[in-house]
Amino acid sequence: MTIYICKSLISLSLKNSSHPNKTPISLLSLLFFSSSPKPPIAVADYLIDRHKFSAETAWKVSSFVKYLKRPEETDSILSFLKESGFSDTHLEHVIKVAPYVLSANLEHTIKPKFKFFLDLGFSSSDVVKFVLSNPSVLNRSVDNQLGPSILALKSVLGWNMDDVSRVLKKSGFGRILNHDLAKTLIPNIEFLKSCGISLSQITRSICYYPRFFLFKPTRIRECVKIVDEMGFNRECKTFLHAIQVISRMSKETWELKLDVFKSLGFSEDDILSVFRRQPMVFAVSERKIKEITQLFLSTGKFDISLVVKNPDLLILSVENRLKPRLRVMEVLERRNLLLKKPSMMTVFQMTDKKFLEKYVIPYSDEVGELFVVEKASLTAEICANT
């Protein structure tokens, strides 16, 4: 075949040379254009020269994809993403995380994902956020992965498409779709329902902590067993929170939390009481547990029982809530400005606006500098409306 082609090219070249009005055809050029494809383009040069990517991004991407065989198709992909609302910075992020996008098929791989999410009720800006938070979604099949996952959610939870769209947004723009829901989320939901946890609580939890439902079912069952052994009432609203807290802690981390509480003077019964009342305390850092407990003990007015009875204290901000309010209340008590001593938990759980109205603005001469400076804008707003 090769010999035949060569003979044909030579014959064509000789014929052209016999006609003075025709430009001779180079045998070498004929061979080149007939048999040699365009040379591939180095990805780093392509991204920097043609699309003005940063050198850092270009070289990082080139470590995964070195050459482009069809740069014009890559141009189409990047143009489509820009037209869909992606900025230059967005594009760099997507390509850095998912370099395979450069050689994807625009019509069969990229565009169907956008249509899928737009049909679900996402806006164009939602889709941009979705892809930015989870670029790997561009590599997932609509028919075999994304679509079945949505149908699975609907079948188990009974949501309409608007509800599914809302949950996907609240759960980090759909990271749960990266998993096989038939093997994780669905059996976990069914098991938790069998434990007496309401569907409405499960639904809310999926919005705020979807990763919990993606654990292997055996892990969820282990956590339920641990919480049951602690004496939790399954009908209590904190039951699910307790399971979630346990699920994200290793045995070593759990032991470390226990040691911190014991070092502060908590008994084992105290620790168990704290966990039962507010499981999320065990998600707080050891440093914060120490700082807040020692803050109250240092006043000389409170002991461990304050925290045991009110574990929500360990979740509040030290600098923005606990310390300023403690200082204000100490001054008001010392100067006998309070007709009735309020519950400390009531004081700490108030909104900033309510606290300012009740304990700061009426006594601004005495305590203004302790608190109002930090909340100046809010105080000005309240004063303007009174």
Side-chain angles (χ1 to χ4, degrees):
M1 178 62 73
T2 303
I3 295 174
Y4 172 78
I5 293 173
C6 289
K7 286 183 178 180
S8 299
L9 289 173
I10 292 170
S11 174
L12 180 61
S13 178
L14 292 173
K15 286 181 181 179
N16 283 332
S17 64
S18 66
H19 295 281
N21 295 328
K22 290 187 177 182
T23 303
I25 299 175
S26 165
L27 176 61
L28 181 61
S29 65
L30 280 171
L31 285 169
F32 177 80
F33 287 112
S34 299
S35 59
S36 299
K38 293 181 179 180
I41 294 179
V43 164
D45 294 339
Y46 168 85
L47 292 176
I48 294 173
D49 297 339
R50 194 178 300 194
H51 291 283
K52 310 306 178 186
F53 275 43
S54 68
E56 178 189 357
T57 297
W59 287 110
K60 182 174 182 179
V61 173
S62 68
S63 66
F64 296 95
V65 181
K66 296 188 181 298
Y67 297 99
L68 290 175
K69 294 182 179 179
R70 295 178 292 276
E72 63 281 354
E73 294 186 14
T74 303
D75 287 340
S76 299
I77 292 172
L78 296 178
S79 295
F80 171 76
L81 292 176
K82 284 186 177 182
E83 292 167 2
S84 300
F86 288 78
S87 67
D88 291 339
T89 302
H90 292 159
L91 286 180
E92 289 209 23
H93 172 73
V94 171
I95 300 305
K96 189 186 297 185
V97 176
Y100 53 79
V101 169
L102 292 173
S103 54
N105 186 298
L106 177 60
E107 297 298 327
H108 296 98
T109 302
I110 305 297
K111 284 186 177 181
K113 309 304 188 308
F114 283 76
K115 183 179 185 302
F116 174 76
F117 290 111
L118 289 172
D119 289 347
L120 276 178
F122 284 99
S123 66
S124 296
S125 60
D126 286 335
V127 178
V128 171
K129 292 177 183 177
F130 184 98
V131 175
L132 287 175
S133 66
N134 188 23
S136 63
V137 74
L138 294 176
N139 197 39
R140 293 180 66 77
S141 167
V142 170
D143 294 332
N144 298 324
Q145 296 170 312
L146 299 178
S149 293
I150 295 299
L151 291 176
L153 283 172
K154 287 185 63 181
S155 67
V156 173
L157 300 175
W159 292 331
N160 58 40
M161 295 309 288
D162 289 338
D163 292 328
V164 170
S165 181
R166 189 178 303 114
V167 167
L168 291 179
K169 291 178 185 179
K170 289 185 177 181
S171 62
F173 279 88
R175 287 188 178 88
I176 61 175
L177 297 182
N178 283 347
H179 299 263
D180 187 343
L181 303 188
K183 295 181 179 179
T184 55
L185 183 138
I186 294 175
N188 285 336
I189 289 175
E190 293 300 329
F191 172 65
L192 292 172
K193 285 165 62 177
S194 73
C195 292
I197 301 173
S198 69
L199 181 58
S200 61
Q201 190 178 6
I202 291 172
T203 302
R204 288 194 300 271
S205 185
I206 290 175
C207 293
Y208 296 106
Y209 186 31
R211 189 174 63 177
F212 166 74
F213 293 87
L214 303 177
F215 284 119
K216 291 182 179 179
T218 52
R219 173 60 177 160
I220 301 298
R221 291 176 182 274
E222 289 173 359
C223 295
V224 169
K225 182 179 179 181
I226 292 172
V227 172
D228 279 339
E229 290 173 350
M230 291 182 179
F232 265 82
N233 182 347
R234 288 191 173 189
E235 296 181 359
C236 181
K237 290 184 178 181
T238 60
F239 182 68
L240 179 56
H241 297 315
I243 299 169
Q244 292 174 331
V245 170
I246 293 293
S247 71
R248 55 178 111 166
M249 295 176 64
S250 65
K251 182 177 180 181
E252 292 74 17
T253 302
W254 174 261
E255 294 293 339
L256 183 59
K257 302 281 186 185
L258 294 180
D259 290 341
V260 169
F261 276 109
K262 289 177 181 178
S263 70
L264 292 168
F266 289 81
S267 67
E268 291 188 3
D269 287 341
D270 290 336
I271 298 171
L272 188 56
S273 177
V274 167
F275 187 66
R276 285 174 179 168
R277 291 170 184 265
Q278 179 49 274
M280 297 307 295
V281 164
F282 277 70
V284 173
S285 69
E286 293 82 16
R287 181 193 60 78
K288 186 173 182 179
I289 293 172
K290 284 183 178 180
E291 186 177 9
I292 292 176
T293 302
Q294 291 172 346
L295 173 66
F296 287 108
L297 294 179
S298 66
T299 65
K301 299 179 180 180
F302 308 107
D303 56 24
I304 292 295
S305 64
L306 175 70
V307 178
V308 174
K309 294 177 181 178
N310 306 286
D312 285 340
L313 289 171
L314 296 174
I315 299 176
L316 300 176
S317 169
V318 178
E319 299 300 328
N320 295 328
R321 179 165 297 208
L322 297 179
K323 284 185 177 179
R325 296 190 185 190
L326 267 176
R327 288 197 295 266
V328 167
M329 299 310 292
E330 286 173 359
V331 171
L332 295 181
E333 288 182 25
R334 187 168 63 247
R335 298 183 182 180
N336 296 316
L337 294 174
L338 296 175
L339 297 177
K340 183 179 179 182
K341 186 176 180 181
S343 160
M344 291 307 295
M345 277 309 299
T346 299
V347 169
F348 292 127
Q349 290 177 336
M350 283 181 180
T351 63
D352 282 339
K353 181 178 179 180
K354 185 69 175 177
F355 184 80
L356 286 167
E357 290 175 338
K358 192 171 182 66
Y359 296 111
V360 177
I361 293 176
Y363 313 102
S364 57
D365 292 340
E366 290 82 2
V367 300
E369 293 184 359
L370 296 176
F371 193 90
V372 178
V373 172
E374 300 177 18
K375 312 288 181 181
S377 60
L378 180 57
T379 305
E381 178 186 342
I382 294 172
C383 292
N385 295 327
T386 55

